[in-house]
């Protein structure tokens, strides 16, 4: 049905660009109520999102159509783009212009938007942030001369290689800042498919069933002409092996340790108090010692308000000291009490994702898609309501 020439379609990328241009459509989400409650398209203005399940249109077309605004351009969304195409075809004869989101929420969850992080021309550095918008996951490609490093890539690792190739660079390393629980890593796949060496700290992947090099504290990774240097900083707490990457002393890729307005949750290993103590030392005895102008580039974000006007999700250490409510000076005891009191529920699927990221569980494509549905829940504090 989605092939019908009568139904106008929009891709996830086009939808995102419309939203960024300040021209968001009204989203009519026709998934069931439970799916809608778990995950929606975020960043829309007020009164721009409504859930009318697909079956409601089947049961009572007239009544359902009455609930759809007639003065707005409508984009209809479902899980995969099939039932939304059907609903869009119902709306057209009623004089409502409706487009179908191609590929539905799965396509939305797979959309990666690449934004260059500004850096001085003389630095020899090209730094790109890959924003997986639907999941609020961030990953990076660092390029210097003809060499590239991917950091925290998603399982769609081809797009990282394509970016490097577009800049005449070859991928020389892939790094995970830690063992991810919310999404499937592209690191091992990049090694297996393309022979790119994979780096992650041993603490997180002991017993993993793939080759890797442990990323030790203080390791220095030269890139290209060696003008660009990446230093690994062991920053445990979100996981025992969490490692941040300091690029040219100016950019700190923090993984899930420090976000723009929160910190990484320390409870994913069922050792919340112990890991929160590690996190306290990491945040206030290591990261807080860095200069104010170091730019924090995290692996996740909580909402569009954490995005700068240029589209990059980032903040400086100095800004975080003032605006990040969890990165405020507290005694260790106060910090533990604050963090442990604000932890959201851990999604059950995270255990499967961890096992898959260790190579100890194989997920087929359908299972991988299912496991990655929904936004990340890696922050220690809940994001504001969408
Ligand atoms: Fe994480």
């Amino acid at each position: 049905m989605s092939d019908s020439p009568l139904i106008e379609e929009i891709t996830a990328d086009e939808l995102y660009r419309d939203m960024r241009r300040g021209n968001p459509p009204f989203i009519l989400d026709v998934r069931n109520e439970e799916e809608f409650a778990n995950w929606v398209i975020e960043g829309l203005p007020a009164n721009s999102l409504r859930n009318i399940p697909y079956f409601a249109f089947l049961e009572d077309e007239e009544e359902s159509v009455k609930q759809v605004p007639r003065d707005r351009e409508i984009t209809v969304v479902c899980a995969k783009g099939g039932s939304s195409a059907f609903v869009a075809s119902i709306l057209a004869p009623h004089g409502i212009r409706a487009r179908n989101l191609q590929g539905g929420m799965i396509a939305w969850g797979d959309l990666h938007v690449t934004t260059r992080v500004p850096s001085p021309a003389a630095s020899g550095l090209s730094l790109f942030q890959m924003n997986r918008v639907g999941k609020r996951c961030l990953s990076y490609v660092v390029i210097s001369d003809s060499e590239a490093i991917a950091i925290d890539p998603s399982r769609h690792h081809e797009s990282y290689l394509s970016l490097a190739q577009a800049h005449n660079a070859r991928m020389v390393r892939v790094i995970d800042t830690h063992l991810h629980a919310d999404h499937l890593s592209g690191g091992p796949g990049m090694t297996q498919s393309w022979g790119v060496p994979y780096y992650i700290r041993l603490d997180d992947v002991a017993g993993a069933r793939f080759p890797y090099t442990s990323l030790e504290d203080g390791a220095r990774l030269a890139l290209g002409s060696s003008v660009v240097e990446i230093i690994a900083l062991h920053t445990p707490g979100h996981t025992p092996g969490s490692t941040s990457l300091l690029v040219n002393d100016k950019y700190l890729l923090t993984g899930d340790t420090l976000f723009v307005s929160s910190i990484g949750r320390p409870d994913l290993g069922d050792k919340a108090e112990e890991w929160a103590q590690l996190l306290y030392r990491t945040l206030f005895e290591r990261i807080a010692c860095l200069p104010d102008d170091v730019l924090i580039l995290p692996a996740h974000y909580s909402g569009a308000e954490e995005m700068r006007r240029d589209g990059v999700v980032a903040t400086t250490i100095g800004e975080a000291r003032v605006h990040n409510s969890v990165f405020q000076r507290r005694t260790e005891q106060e910090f533990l009490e604050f963090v442990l009191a604000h932890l959201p529920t851990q999604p059950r699927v995270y255990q499967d994702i961890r096992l898959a990221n260790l190579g100890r569980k194989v997920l087929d494509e359908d299972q991988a898609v299912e496991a990655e549905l929904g936004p990340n829940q890696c922050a220690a504090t809940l994001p504001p309501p969408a």
Side-chain angles (χ1 to χ4, degrees), residues 16 38-42 105-113 130-139 153-156 160 180-185 256 259 299-304 313 347 349-350 353 357 368-379 383:
Y16 179 73
N38 285 338
W39 186 29
V40 296
I41 291 176
E42 297 169 337
M105 288 301 283
I106 290 175
W108 183 248
D110 281 344
L111 173 66
H112 291 59
V113 177
M130 314 275 276
N131 184 345
R132 193 173 179 186
V133 175
K135 289 190 66 61
R136 304 190 299 246
C137 287
L138 303 166
S139 52
S154 74
R155 70 190 183 94
H156 303 289
Y160 300 83
H180 296 288
D182 64 293
H183 68 272
L184 297 163
S185 169
D256 287 5
F259 301 132
H300 293 300
Y301 65 109
S302 298
V313 177
V349 72
Y350 277 16
I353 294 177
N357 282 339
V369 166
E370 180 77 23
E372 290 198 319
L373 289 178
N376 82 82
Q377 294 184 41
C378 295

